């Protein structure tokens, strides 16, 4: 979706404010929020891409004012609400409705380290060979999906060159909407800064994006 | 500038919510702010284009969360601070600092109607003949100025057809930055929806935008 | 592609019913989920501990230092970072497919995620705030040289800037240039010089002060 | 007109002045009241002039003006011709030009073409003929979607157009202001110009509705 999360090329946000010796968490709640989202029970088969999609659905002004971990809280709440694992009433009260049976299958402390090093990934073997070759000129398609996509607006309609083929990867556009992994070939595509931003951009600079096959057409 | 004000084509803002029997003003402060915008003395550099640019520079989260007349408030305050006509202290307190000489050149009530009728004529003579003819195919240039422009992001790089020539008009990109009116020929350019949004867009519909000559190149 | 937007779009106010203070909101959610058996507070402790003490930029620095001293390792790293780093045991959450980008006198690489905040957690830990914030996400693809200048890194016109926008599950690690005057340093001493910022691409690795002199 | 344009420093200074807004009360009524008293004390505004402007927009200018233009075009073919050829001149004949409406274009809706007006970049609107814009016209949903999904927006207004009708969206990027000349509804042959004008709504002159008999 073309929402505020698609920030590449926007003005008006001011300078990058780097903080010397920044701690991993600025306040205790940030770590707790991160830990909740990372270790809580998810609905069965929850597609990871839906996490990003739900974050994108945050109201645009809140997307800009809420901090990163606040946005995680929002996503966690949405996931659990969508799945009926908690109710809006329970969320307001901060306690389960009366008569709820307590589950006993939450991630335990002793498996957290293994979880962080689990090698479940989005790479998939594909029967069909790739459509595009290294060094081929392609055009990123001009598309405006209302759902999740990983093709930023600033690259749409622009011409680039395939520089790397990563094999098959789960397609976020389908996966985020519970439509299965629908894997496609994934490529790194190089765009010149001038192609993306016009003649005033630096002639030497390039921007590289990882783009799925259905995002591309021959140029 | 590519700010949040450049909203054409964005998702995530929800449905349009018309209000039945909407009043001209929803609160008295809105009416007062409108009256201030029209009736107060402005620093001479704050022409309409600069005014729009000041509004575009409202911090993005406030631009998205605050209402229209509040944008006017924020913009006028920024203009007063920028020109040195008021200090932050004065804005906060609502009172002039000691020793301020009171001006006596504010618009009088009996001048309001005349101002309404006569203000805001932006046509200007341009010596050079127009570069583009009716029916000519033109491409909106891919420019990404950090200053003010009236070329929306969604038409940049796209090909359209010149449908109308409006003669010379003040160029906002220059006028907003105190660099003179720099009038240029102004055209209405028609773009097909498919050109702007891709093959899935309606094949019948089109979008017309008023674009200055320097926004365009032959296609 | 789809229109299964979450329900709050129909009820934009529903969301404001939860507490606005994030600390309170976190506490409420944690106690609710704990009572329902959907989360174990001790697992949260373990997660926090992992990112506060164990998983951080030292991991990436170890890889960089090794590449500086071991040309064969560097060659493997540049041709197959995933396979090479897998042997070190750093792969996992937010670091399953890794590409290493070599900075040279002629090429400077810079990593961003314009669409969210993708970052190689397994190699660098959790991202700093600025990496997740709007200014960096918005500007680094269109105006990378000014962003770098604000970080104190002025690149010559002759240098090619390559920006990598992390749109998929590939995670990028910049292999910075080894600073001059570090020939006598051990791998561990070299690793101590390598900063997180250098591995994102917003800084260069500096030689230690005594080595400069 | 490059991204490194002269506008940059100028814009940055203005952006700095906007920082004050985070230190001010959130209630706009309080802020505007304080601003009005400050301006009055400095002699930058006469409160009676504010009253005069409010009266202009509340009672003197509004959609009734535009409706008169439309009704006249419906009953007077020669006027309609002049309106479509040079709306500025034709609306000037009725003394209805003014600020935010000095350069006018009239767009004729027909069975085959439906026109819709928006300003994606701010909220430009033909004030002298329609008065102040409604809140929805100035809102993010309308500004963002009218160009991308005009049919969806029109449907929300209860106007479902057949596929074969061509929709033309007019994005008011310059100082030209657009007035839609709606189709005259069937069964109104006997109505007077004044009666016709009473049928014409603001929404029809923006293009989000048709005029109904």
């Amino acid at each position: 979706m073309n929402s505020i999360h698609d920030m590449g090329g926007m003005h008006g946000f001011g300078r990058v404010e780097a903080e010397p010796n920044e701690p991993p968490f600025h306040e205790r709640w940030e770590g707790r929020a991160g830990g909740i989202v990372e270790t809580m029970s998810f609905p069965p088969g929850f597609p990871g891409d839906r996490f990003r999609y739900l974050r994108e659905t945050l109201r645009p002004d809140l997307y800009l004012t809420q901090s990163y971990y606040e946005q995680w809280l929002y996503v966690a709440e949405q996931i659990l609400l969508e799945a009926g694992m908690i109710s809006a009433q329970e969320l307001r009260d901060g306690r389960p409705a009366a008569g709820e049976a307590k589950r006993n299958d939450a991630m335990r402390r002793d498996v957290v380290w293994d979880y962080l090093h689990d090698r479940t990934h989005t790479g998939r073997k594909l029967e069909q060979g790739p459509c595009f070759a290294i060094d081929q000129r392609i055009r990123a398609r001009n598309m405006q999906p209302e759902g999740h996509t990983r093709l930023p607006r600033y690259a749409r309609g622009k011409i680039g060159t395939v520089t790397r083929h990563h094999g098959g990867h789960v397609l976020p556009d389908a996966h985020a909407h519970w439509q299965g992994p629908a894997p496609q070939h994934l490529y790194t595509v190089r765009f010149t800064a001038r192609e993306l931003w016009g003649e005033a951009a630096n002639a030497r600079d390039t921007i590289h994006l990882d783009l799925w096959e259905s995002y591309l057409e021959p140029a | 500038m590519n700010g949040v004000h450049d909203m054409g084509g964005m998702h995530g803002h929800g449905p349009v919510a018309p209000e039945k029997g909407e009043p001209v003003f929803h609160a008295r402060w809105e009416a007062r702010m409108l009256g201030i915008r029209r009736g107060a003395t402005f620093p001479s550099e704050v022409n309409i284009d600069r005014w729009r640019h000041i509004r575009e520079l409202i911090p993005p989260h406030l631009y998205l969360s605050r209402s229209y007349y509040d944008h006017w408030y924020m913009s006028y305050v920024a203009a007063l601070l920028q020109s040195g006509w008021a200090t932050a202290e004065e804005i906060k307190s609502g009172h002039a600092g000691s020793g301020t000489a009171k001006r006596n050149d504010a618009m009088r009530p009996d001048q309001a109607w005349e101002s309404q009728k006569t203000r805001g004529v932006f046509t200007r003579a341009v010596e050079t003949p127009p570069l583009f003819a009716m029916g000519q195919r033109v491409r909106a240039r891919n420019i990404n100025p950090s200053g003010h422009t009236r070329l929306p992001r969604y038409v940049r790089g796209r090909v359209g057809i010149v449908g109308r020539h409006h003669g010379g008009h003040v160029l906002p990109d220059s006028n907003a930055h105190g660099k003179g009116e720099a009038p240029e020929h102004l055209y209405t350019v028609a773009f097909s929806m498919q050109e702007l949004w891709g093959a899935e867009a309606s094949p019948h519909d089109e979008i017309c935008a008023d674009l200055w000559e320097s926004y365009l190149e032959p296609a | 592609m789809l229109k299964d937007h979450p329900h709050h779009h129909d009820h934009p106010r529903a969301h404001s019913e939860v507490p606005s203070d994030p600390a309170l909101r976190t506490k409420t959610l944690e106690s609710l989920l704990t009572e329902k058996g959907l989360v174990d507070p001790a697992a949260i402790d373990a997660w926090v501990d992992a990112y506060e003490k164990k998983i951080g930029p030292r991991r990436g620095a170890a890889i960089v230092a090794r590449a500086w001293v071991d040309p064969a390792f560097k060659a493997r790293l540049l041709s197959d970072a995933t396979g090479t780093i897998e042997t070190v045991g750093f792969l996992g959450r937010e670091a399953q497919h890794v590409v290493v980008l070599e900075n040279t006198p002629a090429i400077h690489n810079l990593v961003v995620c314009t669409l969210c905040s993708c970052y190689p957690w397994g190699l660098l830990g959790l991202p700093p705030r600025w990496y997740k914030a709007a200014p960096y996400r918005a500007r680094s693809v269109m105006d990378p040289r000014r962003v770098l200048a604000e970080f104190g890194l002025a690149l010559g016109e002759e240098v090619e800037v390559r920006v990598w926008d992390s749109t998929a599950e590939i995670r990028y690690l910049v292999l910075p240039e080894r600073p001059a005057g570090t020939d006598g340093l051990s791998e561990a001493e070299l690793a101590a010089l390598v900063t997180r910022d250098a591995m994102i691409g917003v800084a260069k690795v500096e030689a230690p002060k005594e080595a400069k002199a | 007109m490059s991204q490194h344009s002269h506008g940059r420093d100028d814009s940055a200074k203005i952006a700095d002045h906007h920082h004050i807004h985070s230190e001010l009360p959130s209630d706009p009524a309080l802020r505007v009241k304080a601003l009005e008293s400050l301006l009055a004390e400095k002699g930058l505004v006469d409160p009676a002039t504010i009253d005069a402007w409010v009266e202009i927009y509340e009672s003197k200018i509004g959609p009734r003006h535009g409706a008169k233009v439309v009704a006249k075009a419906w009953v007077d073919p020669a006027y309609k011709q002049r309106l479509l050829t040079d709306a500025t001149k034709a609306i000037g004949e009725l003394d209805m030009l003014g600020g935010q409406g000095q350069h006018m274009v009239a767009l004729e809706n027909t069975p085959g073409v439906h026109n819709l007006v928006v300003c994606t970049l701010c909220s430009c609107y033909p004030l002298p003929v329609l008065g102040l814009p409604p809140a929805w016209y100035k809102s993010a949903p309308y500004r963002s979607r009218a160009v991308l999904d005009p049919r969806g927006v029109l449907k929300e207004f209860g106007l479902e157009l057949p596929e074969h009708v061509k929709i033309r969206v007019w994005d008011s990027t310059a100082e030209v202001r657009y007035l839609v000349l709606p189709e005259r509804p069937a069964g109104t042959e006997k109505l007077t110009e004044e009666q016709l004008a009473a049928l014409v709504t603001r929404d029809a002159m923006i293009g989000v509705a048709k005029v109904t008999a």
Side-chain angles (χ1 to χ4, degrees):
Chain A
M1 59 190 288
N2 300 343
S3 197
I4 190 67
H5 71 281
D6 187 355
M7 291 180 164
M10 286 191 71
H11 294 118
F13 293 116
R15 288 170 61 97
V16 179
E17 300 283 354
E19 175 189 346
N21 304 313
E22 182 179 333
F25 307 108
H26 288 78
E27 290 171 68
R28 189 173 174 279
W29 72 265
E30 291 191 343
R32 300 312 289 175
I36 291 171
V37 175
E38 285 276 289
T39 65
M40 74 180 196
S41 301
F42 274 69
F46 182 82
D49 289 297
R50 191 163 183 82
F51 192 95
R52 292 202 187 103
Y53 168 65
L54 290 172
R55 188 177 165 209
E56 292 165 4
T57 66
L58 190 57
R59 229 173 56 195
D61 59 312
L62 297 180
Y63 192 97
L64 295 178
T65 47
Q66 293 193 352
S67 71
Y68 183 66
Y69 291 107
E70 273 180 280
Q71 299 187 15
W72 278 29
L73 283 178
Y74 161 80
V75 174
E77 290 162 2
Q78 292 300 320
I79 291 170
L80 297 168
L81 288 168
E82 270 189 352
M85 293 165 71
I86 61 171
S87 69
Q89 187 62 43
E90 289 177 322
L91 194 56
R92 279 191 291 272
D93 296 347
R95 58 173 190 279
E100 274 274 326
K102 183 172 175 176
R103 288 170 57 153
N104 59 4
D105 58 349
M107 187 188 294
R108 292 194 321 274
R109 170 181 197 102
D110 54 357
V111 298
V112 169
W113 189 256
D114 289 340
Y115 159 73
L116 293 177
H117 296 85
D118 183 87
R119 291 300 322 283
T120 307
H121 58 70
T122 55
R124 296 290 184 276
K125 288 239 173 342
L126 292 177
E127 301 273 305
Q128 210 162 7
C131 281
F132 303 108
I134 306 297
D135 290 335
Q136 186 172 344
R137 271 164 57 89
I138 54 82
R139 185 188 294 275
R141 287 183 57 209
N142 181 15
M143 57 187 212
Q144 323 291 330
E146 285 186 46
H148 185 61
T149 187
R150 297 293 289 181
L151 176 59
R153 284 179 85 190
Y154 72 82
R156 296 181 196 163
K158 306 296 186 194
I159 291 176
T161 306
V162 175
T163 63
R164 199 187 274 253
H165 172 230
H166 295 281
H169 273 254
V170 171
L171 179 69
D173 308 47
H175 199 224
H177 299 283
W178 294 96
Q179 292 200 327
Q184 291 185 358
H185 289 285
L186 178 72
Y187 307 88
T188 299
V189 180
R190 180 184 66 225
F191 297 89
T192 65
R194 288 202 166 169
E195 170 70 9
L196 295 183
W197 310 115
E199 281 159 29
N202 190 291
R204 284 199 178 76
D205 299 350
T206 52
I207 293 94
H208 304 243
L209 288 84
D210 295 325
L211 303 175
W212 279 261
E213 198 155 88
S214 63
Y215 295 178
L216 307 175
E217 58 197 21
Chain B
M1 64 179 283
N2 300 345
V4 288
H5 71 280
D6 189 354
M7 289 182 164
M10 297 294 284
H11 294 123
H13 292 296
V16 181
E19 179 186 345
K20 281 232 154 57
E22 182 179 337
V24 176
F25 301 107
H26 288 78
R28 189 176 148 74
W29 70 266
E30 293 188 345
R32 301 313 288 176
M33 193 57 232
L34 175 122
I36 290 172
R37 163 75 181 118
R38 290 282 167 250
T41 311
F42 271 60
S44 60
E45 72 272 15
V46 185
N47 53 50
I48 180 71
D49 298 307
R50 190 167 185 80
W51 172 255
R52 290 205 183 102
H53 189 49
I54 295 172
R55 191 174 159 216
E56 293 162 1
L57 287 162
I58 291 170
H61 67 284
L62 296 180
Y63 191 98
L64 293 177
S65 58
R66 289 193 177 174
S67 67
Y68 183 72
Y69 292 109
D70 206 348
H71 287 182
W72 284 18
Y73 168 86
M74 293 189 280
S75 303
Y76 189 44
V77 164
L80 289 172
L81 293 172
Q82 165 93 350
S83 63
W85 281 20
T87 65
E89 271 323 301
E90 289 176 326
I91 297 292
K92 284 175 197 169
S93 71
H95 294 291
S98 56
T100 310
K102 184 170 175 175
R103 295 171 60 139
N104 56 8
D105 58 350
M107 186 189 293
R108 295 190 315 271
D110 60 344
Q111 294 172 314
W113 184 247
E114 183 60 18
S115 160
Q116 164 59 26
K117 298 298 287 178
T118 55
R119 73 192 170 84
V121 175
F122 298 94
T123 42
R124 299 290 184 272
V126 174
E127 302 276 305
T128 53
L131 278 182
F132 304 110
M134 293 311 99
Q136 186 173 345
R137 277 164 56 87
V138 290
R139 184 185 296 279
R141 291 179 59 209
N142 182 13
I143 56 170
N144 292 273
S146 58
H148 184 61
T149 187
R150 296 292 289 183
L151 179 63
R153 280 182 86 181
Y154 74 88
V155 303
R156 296 180 196 163
R158 307 295 180 200
V159 174
I161 295 186
V162 175
R164 204 183 269 255
H165 172 231
H166 296 281
H169 274 244
V170 174
L171 179 69
D173 308 51
S174 172
N175 200 38
H177 293 286
K179 302 185 78 72
E181 295 190 332
E184 286 186 4
H185 291 286
L186 179 73
Y187 307 88
T188 301
V189 181
F191 300 87
S192 81
M193 290 285 279
Q194 293 196 333
E195 170 71 9
L196 295 180
W197 308 117
E200 281 150 47
S202 162
H204 306 290
D205 304 341
E206 64 184 32
I207 295 179
C208 305
D210 295 326
L211 304 177
W212 279 261
E213 196 157 87
S214 61
Y215 294 177
L216 304 172
E217 58 196 19
Chain C
M1 178 175 262
L2 279 182
K3 303 184 181 182
D4 65 336
H5 300 304
H7 63 92
H8 75 276
H9 268 205
D10 306 325
H11 311 285
R13 298 227 160 257
H15 201 244
S16 59
E17 290 173 18
V18 298
S20 60
D21 171 27
L24 187 58
R25 192 168 160 199
T26 305
K27 210 173 152 191
T28 307
L29 187 64
E30 183 176 335
S31 60
L32 171 64
L33 298 187
T34 304
E35 288 188 39
K36 287 174 83 88
L38 289 169
V39 82
D40 177 353
I44 301 177
D45 295 339
W47 185 87
V48 170
D49 184 67
Y51 285 107
E52 275 189 333
K53 301 189 180 131
K54 295 171 187 151
I55 303 177
R58 290 301 102 221
R59 284 182 160 192
I63 293 168
V64 168
R66 174 112 187 256
W68 283 348
V69 299
D70 180 347
F73 179 82
K74 177 176 162 183
R76 287 203 305 279
L77 190 66
L78 292 176
S79 66
D80 176 15
T82 308
T84 309
I85 296 173
E86 186 166 34
T87 63
V88 194
F90 292 164
L91 297 186
R93 189 95 184 89
E94 287 295 313
Q96 303 287 8
H97 312 276
V98 181
V99 168
V100 170
L101 309 164
E102 184 185 17
N103 278 355
T104 69
I107 296 168
H108 185 88
N109 294 286
L110 176 70
V111 181
V112 62
C113 172
T114 59
L115 296 176
C116 49
S117 314
C118 295
Y119 188 79
W121 291 9
L123 306 176
L124 297 182
L126 297 173
R129 263 187 186 167
W130 59 260
Y131 184 88
K132 300 176 282 188
Y136 186 72
R137 287 168 54 186
R139 294 178 52 212
S140 51
V141 281
M142 189 162 75
D143 204 4
R145 287 170 188 264
R146 278 181 65 98
V147 169
L148 291 174
E150 286 170 21
F151 274 94
L153 183 57
L155 293 177
E157 266 298 310
E158 73 289 354
V159 178
E160 175 189 339
V161 175
R162 292 184 181 166
V163 182
W164 302 76
D165 189 355
S166 314
T167 45
E169 297 299 335
I170 315 297
R171 295 291 166 266
Y172 292 94
L173 181 77
V174 174
L175 174 60
E177 289 174 80
R178 179 173 175 167
T182 57
D183 294 348
L185 298 189
S186 70
E187 190 176 326
E189 286 168 328
L190 285 170
L193 299 178
V194 181
T195 63
R196 176 199 67 201
D197 286 3
M199 293 181 280
I200 302 173
V202 295
K204 293 197 178 215
V205 176
E206 304 282 337
K209 289 214 166 59
E210 55 270 31
K212 271 184 190 163
Chain D
M1 292 218 301
S2 72
Q3 50 255 59
H4 310 286
S5 65
H6 30 263
R8 184 190 296 281
D9 291 340
D10 185 27
S11 305
K13 275 182 206 142
I14 299 170
D16 276 348
H17 292 300
H18 277 304
H19 286 156
I20 190 176
H21 302 308
S22 56
E23 301 165 26
L24 297 172
S26 62
D27 179 2
L30 286 179
R31 283 183 276 122
V32 172
K33 197 172 168 202
L35 179 63
E36 184 178 333
S37 21
L38 172 65
L39 296 177
E41 283 185 30
K42 284 180 173 272
L44 287 168
V45 80
D46 176 348
T49 305
I50 300 181
D51 297 337
W53 278 105
V54 171
E55 205 210 325
I56 286 173
Y57 285 107
E58 278 188 330
S59 345
K60 290 196 187 162
I61 290 179
R64 292 301 102 220
H65 282 195
K68 276 185 193 154
V69 174
V70 169
K72 187 171 173 64
W74 282 348
V75 299
D76 178 347
Y79 183 75
K80 178 177 165 186
Q81 196 49 49
R82 292 202 297 283
L83 182 68
L84 294 176
T85 320
D86 185 347
T88 307
K89 217 168 173 182
I91 293 170
E93 288 175 29
L94 305 182
D95 192 25
M96 287 182 192
L97 297 175
Q100 289 298 308
Q102 303 283 17
H103 314 288
M104 294 295 303
V105 168
L107 310 164
E108 185 185 17
N109 278 355
T110 67
V113 176
H114 184 88
N115 294 286
L116 176 69
V117 181
V118 63
C119 172
T120 61
L121 296 176
C122 49
S123 312
C124 295
Y125 190 76
L127 292 186
V129 282
L130 294 186
L132 293 172
W136 60 261
Y137 183 88
K138 300 176 282 189
S139 72
Y142 186 70
R143 286 168 54 187
S144 60
R145 294 179 51 223
V147 285
L148 178 60
D149 183 22
R151 285 173 189 266
V153 168
L154 290 176
K155 208 181 283 181
E156 285 170 22
F157 276 94
L159 185 57
E160 203 153 345
L161 294 174
E163 267 294 299
H164 68 266
V165 175
K166 183 188 197 71
I167 295 184
R168 279 202 184 110
V169 183
W170 300 76
D171 190 353
S172 316
T173 44
E175 297 298 343
V176 179
R177 296 290 168 266
Y178 292 95
L179 180 74
V180 174
L181 175 60
E183 288 173 82
R184 178 172 175 170
T188 57
E189 294 76 9
K190 293 189 176 140
L191 298 189
T192 64
E193 189 175 330
E194 203 170 310
Q195 287 168 324
L196 286 169
L199 298 178
V200 180
T201 63
R202 174 199 69 199
D203 286 4
M205 293 181 280
I206 301 173
V208 294
K210 293 198 177 214
V211 176
T212 46

